[in-house]
Amino acid sequence: MKIKQIGSNMTELDLGFAQVFFSYDTPVAARLTDGSLVRTEQWYSATTSKHINKWLQGCECQTVPQARINCLLTSSSECDSDYSEVA
């Protein structure tokens, strides 16, 4: 696991299987194992939206529930292989 400060209030956490992007202290986007990009559907602020857009660099991404991004940071027993919460 590696953490990298990539800008003011912008951090990338490399988990080995995914890179999770944080705006301030909140995980809001990720690059998954297959190289696909996801971003949260949750609205936080105009600044966080700017941070996400800067990190995505204009690449296409899928908008997903915040819980899917959160699952990247939890134990595997709480999430399925698609990084969704297990009901």
Side-chain angles (χ1 to χ4, degrees):
M1 180 172 25
K2 288 173 82 174
I3 191 162
K4 179 180 173 184
Q5 187 75 31
I6 57 176
S8 179
N9 297 309
M10 297 172 21
T11 306
E12 186 179 88
L13 177 63
D14 187 338
L15 298 169
F17 63 90
Q19 290 82 42
V20 180
F21 173 71
F22 288 74
S23 177
Y24 297 92
D25 294 331
T26 306
V28 291
R31 179 175 293 110
L32 305 178
T33 327
D34 64 3
S36 64
L37 295 165
V38 295
R39 71 181 291 156
T40 184
E41 66 185 10
Q42 177 72 43
W43 170 258
Y44 288 101
S45 70
T47 302
T48 291
S49 293
K50 287 178 188 177
H51 288 171
I52 295 169
N53 291 333
K54 184 174 181 177
W55 187 74
L56 292 172
Q57 298 179 347
C59 295
E60 289 193 31
C61 68
Q62 181 181 6
T63 301
V64 298
Q66 181 64 43
R68 183 170 180 199
I69 296 170
N70 292 346
C71 276
L72 292 167
L73 304 170
T74 62
S75 71
S76 59
S77 64
E78 296 177 33
C79 303
D80 65 21
S81 61
D82 290 331
Y83 309 109
S84 301
E85 287 181 301
V86 175

